[in-house]
Amino acid sequence: MNMYDIIYTKREGGALSREEIEYFVKGYTEGSIPDYQASALLMAIFLQKMSKEETFWLTDAMMRSGDLVDLSSVPGVKVDKHSTGGVGDKTTLIAAPLAASCGVPVAKMSGRGLGFTGGTVDKLESIPGFRTAMEPEDFLEQVRRVGMAVIGQTAHIAAADKKIYALRDVTATVENLSLITSSIMSKKLASGSDAIVLDVKCGKGAFMEEPESAAELAQWMVELGTKAGRKTIAAVTDMDQPLGRAVGNSLEVMEAADTLKGCGPADITELSLKLAGLMIFAGGLAGTAEEGERMAVRALESGAGFGKFCEFIGAQGGDSRAASDYSLLPQAEYAREIYAEKDGFIGGVEARRIGLASQHTGAGREKKEDGVDLAAGILLNKKKGDPVKKGELLATFFGNDPEKVKKGAAEGAAAFSISRTRPETEPLIRQVIGAEVL
Ligand code: URA
């Protein structure tokens, strides 16, 4: 077997065998296959596509290229939740405690923010004292004792994905169904949960802009997860505009805490309850997704979800008083406001641009090695469809570097459009795939 033949087969539109796919994944991870041959194969896959069967073997090989987490010492059906990436997406901070307070064990590995999307690990690290690195035994012990733990993803999980993703990023081969499916699912399968709830984003702030392509991605991931023996459900949800009103690390922790106290924005509350309901259902604690959602609503209304959030923060070394006293969270030194230039309705708030603006304020990073300003970010005062008067506040930009805040505000202003008539608003949750087969 050699790489030339593998590249040639795919270039000509042929199907790769399980052995050929394993040869590539193993060789590239170990360093015996050079970047130029891996790049050529990725481009051939991008252009000629892979079948579901090839995608399954690619995912399987990538999953086995690193450590496999063993959660068998934790009783119950362990449920993971994953979002394909968004702006203002703090749903893990809300849905996971709601599901955990209903008895679903959540053992989650999360990422850091990169580019215009945020990451749960950065958000949690804005809580004073919170630790996102933990010994595996302590991680398992916390899930058994508290019902949930969230740690940073280690390089040892699906090691091939780290190398392949970095290469896709610089060879324009990211937006491919098989490559995205294998990248996400190899990490999820290696992380060891019995059930996986996926939030597949569509819209201007997502990899898949069209609802049809997001639904196809969701369908592929659900089929693959199911074939791999995990209960898998996917919700296809809107990412045309940011979720909620807060974008940026400590600002999003405040909004998550508000939501768990029952006073969060409507969109973030709706999506978090839906995802928590799916987690409860996938965990076998509710007979239907609707019953799961009703349990999540009760956990929200009774304060059990908020209580679990505080317990979880404390268990990971964080100061849980920060969930009530926001002055304990990082505060920005500078703020800058932007205002509407005319009367009308907010026609749209482009998620990608708000994500970029937040990155400019210092809340996000350009390169993996960069640090972040945990207090930086944006508070949106208007969202799509809201009526607006000339001179009214659209958004406030925060940070500790005045130049960065200014740059963020300039980018953020371009994210808003104002129309004369109220625009049509799309449903936040477009489709749920996979629940019917559980
Ligand atoms: N997230 C991932 O982890 N991988 C992709 O390919 C896309 C989104």
Side-chain angles (χ1 to χ4, degrees):
M1 210 176 295
N2 67 68
M3 263 313 272
Y4 180 92
D5 290 345
I6 294 174
I7 296 167
Y8 182 86
T9 303
K10 192 36 84 187
R11 190 195 78 184
E12 295 302 299
L16 299 178
S17 67
R18 176 182 181 177
E19 291 72 29
E20 286 171 321
I21 291 169
E22 283 179 354
Y23 174 87
F24 159 64
V25 171
K26 192 163 183 292
Y28 187 56
T29 312
E30 288 170 0
S32 58
I33 292 170
D35 283 352
Y36 52 83
Q37 284 188 312
S39 307
L41 181 62
L42 289 173
M43 188 54 83
I45 293 172
F46 188 91
L47 296 172
Q48 294 288 5
K49 304 187 172 40
M50 272 183 148
S51 66
K52 282 186 185 159
E53 171 143 14
E54 288 172 289
T55 307
F56 180 80
W57 292 122
L58 178 61
T59 310
D60 183 70
M62 287 169 67
M63 171 190 84
R64 286 186 291 98
S65 66
D67 294 347
L68 298 178
V69 180
D70 180 3
L71 298 177
S72 59
S73 67
V74 179
V77 179
K78 279 73 68 182
V79 183
D80 200 349
K81 176 249 163 211
H82 181 81
S83 150
T84 58
V87 179
D89 186 357
K90 67 284 291 172
T91 51
T92 293
L93 302 184
I94 306 156
L98 287 174
S101 73
C102 293
V104 178
V106 183
K108 187 158 168 46
M109 292 194 179
S110 288
R112 293 189 183 277
L114 187 62
F116 70 91
T117 61
T120 300
V121 164
D122 294 325
K123 293 170 201 183
L124 287 170
E125 285 181 355
S126 72
I127 301 169
F130 196 99
R131 283 180 281 107
T132 55
M134 232 190 251
E135 289 303 321
E137 204 28 69
D138 297 337
F139 175 64
L140 293 176
E141 193 276 324
Q142 183 179 316
V143 183
R144 282 191 294 266
R145 183 170 46 87
V146 178
M148 72 175 284
V150 180
I151 55 170
Q153 169 112 35
T154 73
H156 309 296
I157 297 289
D161 179 62
K162 203 170 150 56
K163 282 193 82 175
I164 295 175
Y165 193 86
L167 197 59
R168 286 167 59 207
D169 212 18
V170 292
T171 55
T173 51
V174 169
E175 299 91 347
N176 171 273
L177 199 52
S178 295
L179 296 176
I180 297 178
T181 298
S182 57
S183 168
I184 293 176
M185 293 305 285
S186 60
K187 289 177 288 206
K188 292 292 107 186
L189 297 176
S191 302
S193 284
D194 309 296
I196 303 162
V197 173
L198 299 160
D199 181 3
V200 180
K201 304 291 188 191
C202 66
K204 291 202 186 76
F207 284 110
M208 299 295 186
E209 285 204 13
E210 300 307 321
E212 296 75 27
S213 30
E216 197 180 11
L217 174 63
Q219 183 71 40
W220 276 53
M221 292 199 287
V222 166
E223 280 181 33
L224 196 143
T226 308
K227 192 169 168 189
R230 315 294 170 90
K231 293 180 177 182
T232 311
I233 309 180
V236 178
T237 71
D238 184 73
M239 191 32 79
D240 241 9
Q241 65 171 339
L243 266 174
R245 296 188 176 273
V247 181
N249 301 301
S250 64
L251 295 170
E252 291 193 44
V253 169
M254 296 177 210
E255 189 167 77
D258 277 349
T259 307
L260 282 165
K261 286 180 242 168
C263 49
D267 59 350
I268 201 82
T269 304
E270 180 189 351
L271 182 56
S272 302
L273 287 170
K274 171 65 81 181
L275 294 171
L278 291 175
M279 291 172 79
I280 295 165
F281 171 52
L285 295 174
T288 60
E290 292 70 32
E291 189 192 331
E293 198 168 333
R294 283 195 293 276
M295 287 169 72
V297 171
R298 284 198 293 275
L300 183 82
E301 286 173 354
S302 68
F306 181 68
K308 187 56 73 182
F309 183 57
C310 295
E311 190 186 353
F312 150 70
I313 292 173
Q316 290 196 217
D319 186 347
S320 57
R321 291 173 308 164
S324 305
D325 178 357
Y326 300 155
S327 70
L328 297 171
L329 290 166
Q331 308 287 321
E333 206 174 325
Y334 299 97
R336 201 176 177 97
E337 298 183 332
I338 59 166
Y339 306 97
E341 285 175 357
K342 56 182 180 185
D343 293 354
F345 293 89
I346 303 295
V349 187
E350 247 187 77
R352 185 180 289 262
R353 281 209 120 119
I354 290 292
L356 272 178
S358 168
Q359 187 185 348
H360 291 334
T361 62
R365 53 174 74 74
E366 254 156 55
K367 295 189 291 324
K368 281 209 172 81
E369 313 69 58
D370 295 347
V372 292
D373 177 352
L374 293 167
I378 306 168
L379 279 180
L380 302 171
N381 191 47
K382 294 283 178 189
K383 301 251 324 216
K384 185 172 176 181
D386 287 349
V388 66
K389 290 251 173 275
K390 183 176 174 185
E392 246 192 296
L393 180 67
L394 293 178
T396 311
F397 297 76
F398 298 92
N400 287 304
D401 178 333
E403 282 309 309
K404 288 186 176 178
V405 175
K406 192 172 164 195
K407 192 171 168 206
E411 178 73 40
F416 285 87
S417 59
I418 296 178
S419 54
R420 275 170 7 115
T421 53
R422 193 189 286 273
E424 296 265 318
T425 41
E426 301 294 345
L428 176 60
I429 300 158
R430 305 212 175 211
Q431 210 177 339
V432 175
I433 294 170
E436 64 287 353
V437 296
L438 288 194

